[in-house]
Every structure is written in structure tokens, then in C-alpha cells.
Amino acid sequence: MTTTGAREDAEDRVFAALASATRREVLRLLRDGGPQPVQALADHFAMRRPSLSEHLKVLREAGLVSEQRSGRQRIYRLEAAPLAEVQDWLHPYERFWRDRLKGLAELLDRMPDGDRP
């Protein structure tokens, strides 16, 4: 597999991981609360722990979280580097929409007040 192909596979795993609201919430919990054991994360969800473990596995395989064993506990930590790649991918679209909205604002500013919706 080429370097480009491997990078695209990694990006696909990140986007697939982010497609789930549960996984996005796990990332938010780790962002806001720092590293946490599985049980602390599980307490935030109405699902069985094995189901959450599957979500954590997807996040781990995408490189979005890391796992550290501490005795019998598994502590999960946010790994934000792959999110920078997502941001880089989204940036041109953000610029596109910002330009479109700027154009709309300019059009509305040129319209007489009586013609506005």
C-alpha cells in the first residue's frame, strides 16, 4: 500500500469514528474531563459496558484515544492530532461558506429596507 493510500485509510477511520454521536460524546468527555477510566465514561451512557467498549475500540483504532492500563482499570485519553487533519480537510469548506455568507450579507445591505424578507 502506498503512503497516500495508508493516509487515506487513516482519514477514513477518523471520519467513520466521528460519524457516531456516542463516539463524539466520548471525545467531548475526554476533552473536558481529561483521562478517565472506562467506568467513568460508561456512567454517562445508557448502554452496557461492552457496547461502550466497542465504541472505544473504534476510537482507539482511529487514533483518537489511547488506552493505558492502571491495575485492573483501563484509562482512556484523548489524542487530538487526527482531529487537526479533519480540521485541515474542513478548512476550504469553511472558507467557502464564509465567502457565501459574506456575499449574502453584502446583497442584503444593498437592498432597501422595504424589500427585505
Side-chain angles (χ1 to χ4, degrees), residues 11-50:
E11 288 175 359
D12 288 347
R13 282 193 298 275
V14 170
F15 279 103
L18 294 174
S20 164
T22 298
R23 292 190 287 267
R24 291 191 307 270
E25 179 64 9
V26 168
L27 294 176
R28 187 196 66 75
L29 290 167
L30 293 172
R31 181 197 67 205
D32 293 350
Q36 298 179 44
V38 175
Q39 190 56 53
L41 293 169
D43 290 344
H44 293 274
F45 299 96
M47 68 175 69
R48 299 184 60 120
R49 194 164 150 182

Side-chain angles (χ1 to χ4, degrees), residues 41-96:
L41 293 169
D43 290 344
H44 293 274
F45 299 96
M47 68 175 69
R48 299 184 60 120
R49 194 164 150 182
S51 296
L52 180 61
S53 292
E54 285 297 315
H55 286 290
L56 289 167
K57 179 182 176 186
V58 171
L59 290 169
R60 196 173 57 251
E61 289 174 351
L64 292 166
V65 300
S66 60
E67 174 190 81
Q68 178 185 4
R69 291 180 187 251
S70 177
R72 293 179 53 168
Q73 287 188 330
R74 292 175 187 220
I75 309 295
Y76 283 86
R77 172 188 315 274
L78 174 65
E79 300 294 341
L83 296 173
E85 295 172 14
V86 171
Q87 184 177 10
D88 290 345
W89 185 86
L90 287 171
H91 183 72
Y93 297 97
E94 178 185 348
R95 194 171 47 243
F96 168 82

